[in-house]
Amino acid sequence: MLNADELRIEDLPGLVGQTLESPYITVDTRLRALFEEATMIEEFMTPEVRALYPEGLLEGFHLLGLLDHFISKYINWEEDSYGLNYGLDRVRFVSTMQAGRPLRFRTTVSKVEPKGDGYIVHFECVLEHEGEERPGMVATWLCYQLPKEEEDEGATAEDGAR
């Protein structure tokens, strides 16, 4: 199991094959409504269109947005590095997921590639409802982890310091 305490950038290559599993959380209808408001879904979601979908359906992009929550909450990166979203190689919404039902995140590091001063980490991500055989979503998410640049205390704006 992936030990998520104080990961250093130099430890990343050794994470291949390790898994992290979150506790169950519940995305309630209030959070679902906030997502819909933020993404302006209501502009086209008439009552007739809404009736076509299962009650309490969590939208696919809402599920994708939860990946960042889980990675940020359960992997504690040391303060000497930072991560960037590098994209998704594969996403599948396998079965519906509903607000109000417990769900959890599971990920396995499948690959770590050097890139520049950092690494591209490939996370094989799964979101699943408690008690369900099939996951709700699977995705391969790439994160670019980079070292923070050390600031030169003696540098000035004329030297190009920020």
Side-chain angles (χ1 to χ4, degrees):
M1 186 68 79
L2 174 60
N3 180 350
D5 294 330
E6 295 293 320
L7 283 175
R8 297 172 303 160
I9 196 163
E10 58 267 18
D11 297 333
L12 293 178
L15 296 181
V16 174
Q18 294 198 38
T19 298
L20 169 73
E21 188 173 275
S22 78
Y24 284 98
I25 66 162
T26 300
V27 176
D28 59 22
T29 54
R30 181 187 67 82
L31 291 174
R32 178 179 175 261
L34 287 171
F35 175 83
E36 289 182 354
E37 181 182 345
T39 56
M40 298 177 270
I41 288 174
E42 292 301 321
E43 287 186 20
F44 68 87
M45 190 66 76
T46 65
E48 296 80 21
V49 172
R50 186 172 292 285
L52 298 171
Y53 298 97
E55 183 68 28
L57 177 72
L58 291 174
E59 215 270 346
F61 286 108
H62 192 165
L63 299 174
L64 284 172
L66 289 172
L67 296 181
D68 190 47
H69 161 77
F70 284 114
I71 289 287
S72 298
K73 184 168 184 164
Y74 295 107
I75 297 181
N76 186 19
W77 302 100
E78 273 198 351
E79 292 184 15
D80 65 347
S81 70
Y82 65 101
L84 299 173
N85 180 353
Y86 201 67
L88 296 152
D89 273 354
R90 184 178 73 84
V91 177
R92 296 291 179 270
F93 302 107
V94 181
S95 60
T96 59
M97 298 192 81
Q98 278 82 29
R101 292 190 55 203
L103 64 86
R104 74 172 166 196
F105 168 76
R106 189 170 20 95
T107 190
T108 300
V109 177
S110 62
K111 188 179 196 182
V112 176
E113 302 174 282
K115 178 172 174 62
D117 291 337
Y119 293 95
I120 306 257
V121 182
H122 296 241
F123 291 101
E124 300 299 329
C125 303
V126 176
L127 286 178
E128 58 192 0
H129 272 310
E130 186 173 30
E132 294 292 328
E133 287 184 28
R134 295 183 65 190
M137 184 195 78
V138 295
T140 302
W141 185 25
L142 284 61
C143 298
Y144 190 13
Q145 199 69 22
L146 292 157
K148 286 184 182 174
E149 294 182 21
E150 294 194 27
E151 294 181 27
D152 182 357
E153 293 180 18
T156 65
E158 292 79 30
D159 298 330
R162 293 183 241 181

